[in-house]
Amino acid sequence: MIWNDHKGFGKQIFILAKNELIKTYKGAVIGPLWAVVKPVFTLFVYWFAFAIGVRGGAARDELGNGTPYFIFLMVGFVPWFFINDAILMGSKSIRANSQFVTKVSFPVSTIMSYVTLSRLFVHFFLSILMYVYMLLAGIQPMWSNLEFFYYCPLMFMFFLALSWSTAPMCAFSRDFENMIVSFMSGLFWLSGIIYNSYTIEYDWLRKIMYFNPINYFVNGYRKAFLTGAPLFDNSTETIIFFAEFAVITFLGIFNFTRLRKRLPDVL
């Protein structure tokens, strides 16, 4: 059902994604640029704190190759900004766009697609800013930079599939929506965004971290832009991730199909 909903709606999804971005910041003078200002300001705060305030740039090299800590942080934060928005806005997407469910004949599953795609536009722009900053900071281009075109689309698909479950469930229950919002703060600290999950002291805990899909993308971006590690260099982590991806996709299709017909009555 979800795949059929998208047939012939490619152009509409793209236009709605653009409109979603505009609608989110309607009434603001700089409009959708606020989507970039917030993460850039966050990164500035971390740069000031670690590179200027405590002079931790070189002292806290999490990769062991002389990479300034701020750049290590930045490459972890850029995918996190997308992941955070994709989870939160994806889960609220059906309730926030209920008119497409109750008032018009529209493929409901495409709502999650264009909402997540709107965040991908922002992610592309932030990724370009990140890469330009790294070049100016002296980080040399590598062939592994092309791994971005593996991790980025995969990240989009993973969290889109997750929204197939969370969006209809949040439409049915605001408690579930509030639970997701509350859970995000903890998820940040349990993911290797401000530290290197590969260097955790305890071997058993380091292996448990493989089950956090956010780590897969954060570590993947650092491999692509900082360490130059090849794709699939950690076969255990890769196998676990794709097993989770398959489960998330199956559950997403199952939950959406099960709840789809009841959504108009709830909304």
Side-chain angles (χ1 to χ4, degrees):
M1 172 184 286
I2 293 178
W3 316 117
N4 292 333
D5 284 350
H6 286 68
K7 289 181 180 178
F9 277 87
K11 183 177 180 180
Q12 290 93 327
I13 290 173
F14 184 86
I15 293 173
L16 286 168
K18 181 184 70 174
N19 292 339
E20 175 71 15
L21 196 57
I22 295 172
K23 182 181 72 174
T24 303
Y25 302 95
K26 185 178 180 181
V29 175
I30 63 174
L33 284 179
W34 279 116
V36 177
V37 170
K38 181 180 177 181
V40 168
F41 178 73
T42 301
L43 289 172
F44 168 78
V45 171
Y46 275 91
W47 168 79
F48 185 85
F50 290 103
I52 304 298
V54 298
R55 297 289 179 183
R60 297 190 58 191
D61 176 12
E62 294 283 346
L63 295 174
N65 61 359
T67 302
Y69 185 58
F70 171 70
I71 292 181
F72 172 86
L73 274 180
M74 178 176 63
V75 177
F77 263 100
V78 166
W80 167 253
F81 288 139
F82 170 81
I83 292 169
N84 182 67
D85 284 351
I87 293 176
L88 291 178
M89 298 183 71
S91 64
K92 300 175 183 178
S93 58
I94 290 180
R95 185 181 293 277
N97 296 276
S98 58
Q99 70 275 14
F100 289 126
V101 181
T102 60
K103 296 181 180 179
V104 297
S105 178
F106 190 80
V108 177
S109 65
T110 60
I111 294 175
M112 290 84 82
S113 297
Y114 75 72
V115 169
T116 308
L117 183 60
S118 72
R119 310 323 299 172
L120 190 64
F121 293 161
V122 178
H123 179 66
F124 278 143
F125 190 70
L126 286 176
S127 297
I128 292 171
L129 291 180
M130 175 191 74
Y131 194 62
V132 169
Y133 178 88
M134 290 171 57
L135 294 177
L136 293 175
I139 304 294
Q140 297 298 315
M142 300 178 287
W143 283 109
S144 63
N145 296 160
L146 296 175
E147 293 175 10
F148 170 81
F149 297 102
Y150 160 78
Y151 286 110
C152 182
L154 188 63
M155 182 170 65
F156 171 79
M157 287 303 304
F158 182 89
F159 290 100
L160 173 61
L162 180 63
S163 71
W164 295 340
S165 284
T166 59
M169 291 174 71
C170 285
F172 274 81
S173 171
R174 285 195 179 272
D175 288 332
F176 187 77
E177 180 180 316
N178 292 331
M179 183 189 72
I180 291 176
V181 173
S182 301
F183 184 67
M184 292 306 297
S185 177
L187 192 60
F188 171 84
W189 295 105
L190 292 173
S191 304
I193 297 160
I194 61 173
Y195 55 87
N196 187 354
S197 65
Y198 289 149
T199 59
I200 292 176
E201 180 180 0
Y202 302 103
D203 183 64
W204 64 270
L205 184 56
R206 188 168 61 251
K207 290 180 179 178
I208 288 177
M209 295 292 282
Y210 291 163
F211 289 88
N212 182 347
I214 296 175
N215 278 335
Y216 183 76
F217 295 111
V218 171
N219 290 332
Y221 271 57
R222 287 178 177 144
K223 291 174 186 178
F225 294 108
L226 298 179
T227 68
L231 282 173
F232 317 126
D233 64 320
N234 189 323
S235 57
T236 301
E237 183 180 35
T238 302
I239 291 171
I240 290 173
F241 169 76
F242 277 100
E244 289 179 330
F245 191 12
V247 171
I248 289 293
T249 302
F250 172 79
L251 288 177
I253 294 172
F254 174 78
N255 283 323
F256 180 80
T257 303
R258 178 172 60 92
L259 299 174
R260 165 65 183 92
K261 293 182 179 179
R262 296 169 57 192
L263 287 173
D265 297 330
V266 173
L267 298 173

